[in-house]
């Protein structure tokens, strides 16, 4: 005889990049298990694919493509789902950098509680159309989750160039457009490295201002009493 199916709660979330509402359910034991297995593998591709799969599994209704969405959508949905599954209040450590009367920094490290519901997306208004002089230019996009997470290691300038390459939607001139997906990474790298410093900086500005999300936390330092009202952005612990 079939066992009864236990109803799971569903709730609505707003997709940061599109403002569309989707209906989701919390992680089940199955998804928690998939995540643990992926983390134990320490294999980056497996972790990336599992995070995407788990987010996809939990979407009950609505339009969302985990392969096409920008990285910060997946970051946000994953953390929101995780919060709904393990609890919306999470303990974090804050360090107090309040300057005291004797010019010393307080330095106290203390526990505070983060409520994931106080999540906000921080966005700068940066144009995605980068003019490179004459009729030439580049149209930028936000990288997907996998592309973004694979940018890792090496020199900072190499990571930056990588990030710029992953953010190119297409290059254009008076004759037409050249989609980045039709070029090899080497060709795009060569293109970027041949730009003037000034033009590179315009593209760099775009990637330096990717939307990120933060959770507002308010807490009083137990040592000096300073009232902290901070935007918490370090979610690494949440993923690992
Ligand atoms: Zn303090």
């Amino acid at each position: 005889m079939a066992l009864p199916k236990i109803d799971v709660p569903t709730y609505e979330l707003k997709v940061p990049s599109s403002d569309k509402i989707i209906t989701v359910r919390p992680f089940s034991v199955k998804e928690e298990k998939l995540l643990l297995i992926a983390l134990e593998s320490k294999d980056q591709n497996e972790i990336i694919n599992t995070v995407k799969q788990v987010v996809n599994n939990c979407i009950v209704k609505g339009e969302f493509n985990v392969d096409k969405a920008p990285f910060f959508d997946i970051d946000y949905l994953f953390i929101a789902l995780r919060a709904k599954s393990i609890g919306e209040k999470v303990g974090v450590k804050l360090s107090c950098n309040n300057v005291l009367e004797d010019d010393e920094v307080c330095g106290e490290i203390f526990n505070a509680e983060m409520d994931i519901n106080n999540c906000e997306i921080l966005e700068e208004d940066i144009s995605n159309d980068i003019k490179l002089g004459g009729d030439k230019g580049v149209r930028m996009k936000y990288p997907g989750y996998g592309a973004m997470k694979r940018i890792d290691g090496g020199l900072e300038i190499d990571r930056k160039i990588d990030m710029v390459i992953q953010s190119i939607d297409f290059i254009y001139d008076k004759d037409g457009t050249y989609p980045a997906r039709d070029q090899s990474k080497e060709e795009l790298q060569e293109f970027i490295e041949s730009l003037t410093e000034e033009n590179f900086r315009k593209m760099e500005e775009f990637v330096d201002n990717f939307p990120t999300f933060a959770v507002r936390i308010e807490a009083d330092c137990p040592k000096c009493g300073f009232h902290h009202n901070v935007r918490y952005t370090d979610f690494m612990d949440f993923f690992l």
Side-chain angles (χ1 to χ4, degrees), residues 221-237:
C221 171
K223 191 172 158 197
C224 72
F226 186 80
H227 182 70
H228 292 266
N229 185 345
V230 295
R231 280 169 160 163
Y232 193 82
T233 54
D234 178 16
F235 292 96
M236 274 321 281
D237 288 351

Side-chain angles (χ1 to χ4, degrees), residues 95 104 129 146:
S95 75
E104 297 238 344
D129 185 29

Side-chain angles (χ1 to χ4, degrees), residues 88-131:
E88 285 162 35
K89 301 259 164 77
V90 182
V92 294
K93 285 200 190 312
L94 295 182
S95 75
C96 180
N97 51 12
N98 183 30
V99 180
L100 306 173
E101 272 170 29
D102 54 6
D103 247 15
E104 297 238 344
V105 171
C106 167
E108 177 80 353
I109 293 172
F110 60 100
N111 294 316
E113 199 172 63
M114 169 165 77
D115 183 343
I116 300 288
N117 289 316
N118 296 332
C119 180
E120 56 190 1
I121 295 279
L122 311 174
E123 274 184 285
E124 298 287 329
D125 194 16
I126 303 275
S127 171
N128 64 347
D129 185 29
I130 315 264
K131 305 254 187 263

Side-chain angles (χ1 to χ4, degrees), residues 17-35:
S17 71
S18 66
D19 282 345
K20 282 190 178 139
I21 303 290
I22 55 173
T23 307
V24 297
R25 62 161 174 82
F27 295 164
S28 64
V29 174
K30 182 178 140 197
E31 277 101 25
E32 292 286 359
K33 200 172 135 190
L34 287 172
L35 283 168

Side-chain angles (χ1 to χ4, degrees), residues 15-232:
V15 177
S17 71
S18 66
D19 282 345
K20 282 190 178 139
I21 303 290
I22 55 173
T23 307
V24 297
R25 62 161 174 82
F27 295 164
S28 64
V29 174
K30 182 178 140 197
E31 277 101 25
E32 292 286 359
K33 200 172 135 190
L34 287 172
L35 283 168
L36 282 175
I37 292 168
L39 289 174
E40 268 171 27
S41 78
K42 297 199 167 54
D43 180 278
Q44 206 193 14
N45 282 323
E46 194 173 335
I47 296 172
I48 290 167
N49 290 335
T50 305
V51 167
K52 281 162 67 178
Q53 190 197 334
V54 159
V55 167
N56 197 43
N57 284 3
C58 293
I59 298 172
V60 180
K61 203 174 89 191
E63 232 176 273
F64 188 75
N65 184 329
V66 290
D67 291 316
K68 291 206 174 125
F71 67 95
F72 54 90
D73 276 352
I74 309 270
D75 275 341
Y76 167 73
L77 292 176
F78 182 75
I79 283 171
L81 287 166
R82 182 125 230 213
K84 295 283 180 192
S85 309
I86 63 175
E88 285 162 35
K89 301 259 164 77
V90 182
V92 294
K93 285 200 190 312
L94 295 182
S95 75
C96 180
N97 51 12
N98 183 30
V99 180
L100 306 173
E101 272 170 29
D102 54 6
D103 247 15
E104 297 238 344
V105 171
C106 167
E108 177 80 353
I109 293 172
F110 60 100
N111 294 316
E113 199 172 63
M114 169 165 77
D115 183 343
I116 300 288
N117 289 316
N118 296 332
C119 180
E120 56 190 1
I121 295 279
L122 311 174
E123 274 184 285
E124 298 287 329
D125 194 16
I126 303 275
S127 171
N128 64 347
D129 185 29
I130 315 264
K131 305 254 187 263
L132 299 178
D135 43 27
K136 300 184 185 70
V138 177
R139 191 66 59 81
M140 307 293 275
K141 63 173 169 99
Y142 299 124
Y145 186 74
M148 191 65 182
K149 299 294 158 178
R150 281 185 202 103
I151 298 168
D152 200 14
L155 295 171
E156 185 169 347
I157 180 69
D158 289 333
R159 275 203 306 275
K160 187 58 72 69
I161 289 174
D162 226 12
M163 219 178 267
V164 167
I165 289 174
Q166 297 296 345
S167 307
I168 297 175
D169 191 0
F170 59 85
I171 297 158
Y172 62 85
D173 65 11
K174 64 178 189 339
D175 298 322
T177 61
Y178 311 89
R181 62 170 183 276
D182 294 346
Q183 319 293 323
S184 68
K185 201 188 159 196
E186 288 69 33
E187 286 172 308
L188 291 169
Q189 179 120 12
E190 212 181 299
F191 173 80
I192 297 295
E193 287 178 355
S194 69
L195 293 175
T196 61
E197 191 63 27
E198 189 197 349
N199 277 335
F200 180 69
R201 224 170 284 133
K202 293 183 208 163
M203 301 175 84
E204 201 179 12
E205 196 193 359
F206 182 83
V207 306
D208 284 343
N209 288 287
F210 279 159
T212 52
F213 62 96
V215 176
R216 191 169 286 285
I217 305 176
E218 290 195 51
D220 294 322
C221 171
K223 191 172 158 197
C224 72
F226 186 80
H227 182 70
H228 292 266
N229 185 345
V230 295
R231 280 169 160 163
Y232 193 82

